[in-house]
């Protein structure tokens, strides 16, 4: 298959910019996720469902700013508010009624969000969440999921990629991750075992309800329900990392989608309306421990969003987005789910037609195709699928069909996409499947 050759032919300026980028950024990128072989695309502009690269090629975008852009690129309602806001200040360095309104939107929609704190990235939010949980429970151990990605948070940068053990990074001390234990996703007995083994020392079970970077794999409903019961039984907090799923699966995120309320949650991405944000929220009893009026050192949890927290452009963009989603939630989420279902079903069908086993996992507007005999239930199984074929598929969609799915990563549909886009996607999948059959590749 000549996808690499076609890609290089089509993206000459990106190749040359990558050469320049290598001289200023380690590996040519500021976020490792954005690197793929032979070199990443460099984007010149974006609008609606499209991105244009530096060579002027247009792509229908399914990466959508790391899944943050549920309304597409630069939606008018956000741009208008931003234009107005930047004239009135970009950083007040103080709170504003805008930030209260955005927090109220979160409080109103997300079941566990009795109280909220804003920061500027998801990584920060997950770091603060752990601090709150450990302080509130008065114990050390945090249970995470193998393959769970929570940003470049020091403590949680463990067991993200195969072999799902040990630190992901040099420079992190073993003692910094000493009290983090990882368990396979969708495995009730592993959760029971770990909570039993760490009885009296576990503060928190922290997981993405849809494993994102770990393979876009939804939690089984029974699994989450059991985790809720188990954590309650062991007096351990349950927290959802809803940085991808928040305001994406439903207005109330995975909590609404699964009908379950955790004690704490981290949010990000969509809440910022395309600008940087992180949110830690949860039950008042827990989050209120961050109140700076608490004088008792042993009680007070020192977390704060930093210089740029509650910055007015993010607040304005986030507020415009969440208000739109609330006003239109019935239509938005049913349409996203419909398109997602069509895409998942159609892609698997296209590969099946050519005798190639493919399983497109995901929920609502999130999707990822795995080339494997069985649909993966956790990150280990996802990693055992044919990753090289998956990356070739994504590169071929880019090179041949003008469809951008970041190679090796999950895709996200926005409100800008329609049935025609999904039909185009399925056409691209069929073309690739026919080529893969000719080349005798498969899981
Ligand atoms: C589930 C999850 N948690 C946390 C993060 C980190 O968020 P940020 O990149 O804003 O630091 C991400 C980012 O992709 C994520 O997907």
């Amino acid at each position: 298959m000549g996808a690499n050759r076609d890609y290089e032919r089509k993206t000459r300026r990106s190749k040359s910019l990558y050469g320049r980028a290598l001289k200023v950024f380690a590996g040519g990128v500021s976020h490792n996720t954005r690197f793929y072989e032979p070199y990443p695309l460099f984007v010149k502009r974006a609008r609606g469902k499209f991105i244009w690269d530096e060579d002027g090629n247009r792509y229908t975008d399914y990466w959508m700013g790391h899944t943050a852009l549920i309304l597409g690129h630069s939606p008018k309602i956000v741009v208008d508010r931003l234009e107005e806001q930047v004239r009135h200040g970009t950083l007040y360095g103080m709170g504003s009624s805008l930030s209260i309104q955005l927090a109220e939107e979160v409080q109103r929609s997300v079941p566990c969000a009795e109280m909220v704190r804003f920061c500027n990235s998801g990584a920060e939010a997950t770091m603060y969440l752990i601090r709150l949980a450990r302080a509130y429970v008065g114990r050390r151990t945090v249970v995470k999921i193998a393959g769970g990605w929570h940003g470049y948070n020091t403590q949680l940068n463990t067991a993200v990629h195969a072999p799902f053990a040990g630190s992901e990074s040099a420079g992190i001390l073993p003692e910094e991750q000493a009290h983090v234990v990882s368990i396979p996703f969708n495995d009730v007995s592993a959760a029971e075992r770990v909570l039993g083994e760490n009885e009296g020392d576990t503060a928190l079970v922290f997981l993405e309800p849809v494993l994102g970077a770990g393979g876009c794999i939804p939690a089984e409903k029974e699994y989450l329900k059991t985790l809720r019961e188990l954590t309650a039984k062991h007096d351990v907090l349950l927290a959802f990392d809803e940085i991808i799923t928040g305001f994406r699966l439903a207005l109330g995120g995975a909590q609404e989608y699964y009908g379950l309320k955790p004690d704490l949650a981290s949010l990000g991405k969509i809440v910022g309306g395309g600008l940087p944000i992180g949110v830690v929220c949860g039950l008042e009893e827990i989050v209120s421990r961050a109140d700076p009026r608490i004088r008792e050192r042993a009680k007070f949890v020192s977390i704060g969003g930093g210089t740029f927290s509650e910055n007015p452009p993010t607040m304005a963009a986030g507020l415009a987005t969440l208000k739109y989603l609330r006003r239109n939630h019935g239509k938005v989420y049913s349409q996203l789910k419909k398109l997602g279902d069509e895409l998942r079903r159609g892609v698997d069908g296209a590969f099946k037609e050519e005798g190639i086993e493919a399983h497109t996992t995901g929920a609502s507007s999130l999707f990822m195709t795995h080339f494997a005999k069985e649909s993966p239930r956790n990150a280990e199984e996802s990693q055992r699928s044919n990753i090289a074929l998956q990356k070739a598929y994504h590169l071929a969609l880019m090179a041949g069909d003008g469809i951008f799915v970041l190679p090796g990563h999950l895709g996200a549909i926005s409100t800008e996409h329609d049935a025609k886009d999904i039909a185009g996607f399925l056409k691209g999948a069929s073309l690739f499947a026919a080529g893969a059959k000719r080349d005798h590749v498969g899981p």
Side-chain angles (χ1 to χ4, degrees):
M1 283 180 281
N4 260 56
R5 193 191 50 226
D6 294 346
Y7 178 77
E8 296 208 21
R9 201 178 287 147
K10 174 172 176 172
T11 59
R12 291 179 205 277
R13 276 189 58 76
S14 281
K15 185 173 187 174
S16 128
L17 282 169
Y18 185 60
R20 266 174 69 192
L22 277 173
K23 298 196 175 102
V24 284
F25 301 124
V29 287
S30 286
H31 192 341
N32 300 337
T33 301
R34 294 181 189 158
F35 174 76
Y36 59 86
E37 299 283 1
Y39 51 84
L41 209 63
F42 284 77
V43 178
K44 186 155 188 170
R45 68 190 175 97
R47 191 75 203 235
K49 62 191 165 198
F50 298 119
I51 53 173
W52 285 264
D53 70 12
E54 283 280 350
D55 288 274
N57 301 302
R58 192 184 80 176
Y59 304 83
T60 306
D61 184 17
Y62 290 89
W63 176 229
M64 278 295 155
H66 296 241
T67 76
L69 305 172
I70 197 167
L71 305 182
H73 293 277
S74 299
K76 188 172 179 331
I77 52 159
V78 172
V79 172
D80 288 351
R81 273 299 290 116
L82 273 176
E83 278 177 358
E84 189 190 334
Q85 181 56 50
V86 291
R87 276 191 290 272
H88 292 115
T90 55
L91 185 60
Y92 298 149
M94 292 301 284
S96 65
S97 86
L98 266 182
S99 51
I100 298 171
Q101 287 177 69
L102 183 62
E104 285 168 350
E105 284 291 338
V106 171
Q107 197 178 46
R108 188 168 179 176
S109 302
V110 179
C112 82
E114 291 175 8
M115 288 206 118
V116 173
R117 269 288 178 103
F118 288 141
C119 51
N120 297 300
S121 73
E124 275 177 90
T126 61
M127 176 174 78
Y128 296 149
L129 187 147
I130 290 181
R131 206 176 291 170
L132 277 166
R134 281 180 168 156
Y136 178 79
V137 182
R139 301 190 200 138
R140 299 179 298 187
T141 300
V142 173
V143 179
K144 81 177 280 282
I145 299 295
W149 170 246
H150 305 284
Y152 292 94
N153 170 328
T154 301
Q155 290 159 93
L156 297 178
N157 253 266
T158 171
V160 178
H161 299 103
F164 305 107
S167 177
E168 293 286 316
S169 171
I172 293 179
L173 305 177
E175 44 276 39
E176 291 180 289
Q177 298 178 335
H179 304 289
V180 178
V181 178
S182 75
I183 54 171
F185 196 47
N186 278 325
D187 182 340
V188 168
S189 54
E192 274 170 344
R193 182 180 44 76
V194 154
L195 286 174
E197 280 170 9
N198 293 278
E199 183 76 62
D201 193 40
T202 307
L204 172 72
V205 174
F206 187 33
L207 80 162
E208 300 160 82
V210 176
L211 203 54
C216 194
I217 303 167
E220 288 153 18
K221 200 165 182 183
E222 212 36 48
Y223 176 64
L224 284 189
K225 192 167 157 265
T226 310
L227 281 187
R228 184 62 288 186
E229 287 159 10
L230 273 177
T231 46
K233 182 175 133 199
H234 289 269
D235 276 330
V236 166
L237 298 181
L238 176 69
F240 286 173
D241 185 344
E242 293 234 47
I243 285 168
I244 292 179
T245 55
F247 293 92
R248 182 164 277 285
L249 298 191
L251 198 64
Q255 302 177 35
E256 179 183 331
Y257 184 85
Y258 283 98
L260 273 174
K261 189 164 109 174
D263 305 300
L264 288 167
S266 45
L267 297 162
K269 299 196 193 278
I270 290 175
V271 181
L275 275 73
I277 198 161
V279 185
V280 53
C281 60
L283 305 186
E284 180 171 359
E285 217 184 319
I286 307 170
V287 182
S288 62
R289 296 285 291 271
D291 184 338
R293 293 169 303 179
I294 298 176
R295 291 273 160 259
E296 210 181 317
R297 264 284 173 107
K299 278 229 160 107
F300 170 58
V301 183
S302 170
I303 62 169
T307 301
F308 293 99
S309 57
E310 298 184 29
N311 72 80
T314 296
M315 299 297 107
L319 190 56
T321 302
L322 297 200
K323 272 184 167 171
Y324 177 88
L325 290 174
R326 187 162 49 75
R327 276 200 308 271
N328 298 284
H329 69 101
K331 195 175 86 203
V332 164
Y333 293 107
S334 62
Q335 173 71 358
L336 288 175
K337 180 178 182 313
K338 183 166 169 278
L339 295 180
D341 286 344
E342 269 169 36
L343 187 146
R344 281 184 289 274
R345 207 178 317 114
V347 167
D348 291 358
F351 281 100
K352 195 167 177 202
E353 197 128 298
E354 302 295 346
I356 297 169
E357 277 183 89
H359 300 277
T360 306
T361 55
S364 185
S365 53
L366 300 168
F367 65 91
M368 185 170 188
T369 299
H370 305 264
F371 297 100
K373 300 258 177 256
E374 308 273 340
S375 188
R377 291 180 62 231
N378 57 44
E380 291 93 328
E381 289 177 13
S382 164
Q383 280 295 306
R384 282 202 297 271
S385 66
N386 189 338
I387 304 280
L389 184 58
Q390 184 192 57
K391 287 188 176 169
Y393 165 52
H394 291 157
L395 202 69
L397 287 175
M398 231 188 288
D401 309 291
I403 291 170
F404 186 73
V405 177
L406 183 67
H409 292 273
L410 79 173
I413 298 167
S414 77
T415 54
E416 286 290 303
H417 294 90
D418 58 26
K420 265 209 224 135
D421 297 312
I422 305 303
F425 196 107
L426 299 186
K427 203 166 146 209
S430 292
L431 276 171
F432 178 79
K437 184 185 177 190
R438 271 198 309 277
D439 295 349
H440 304 292
V441 291

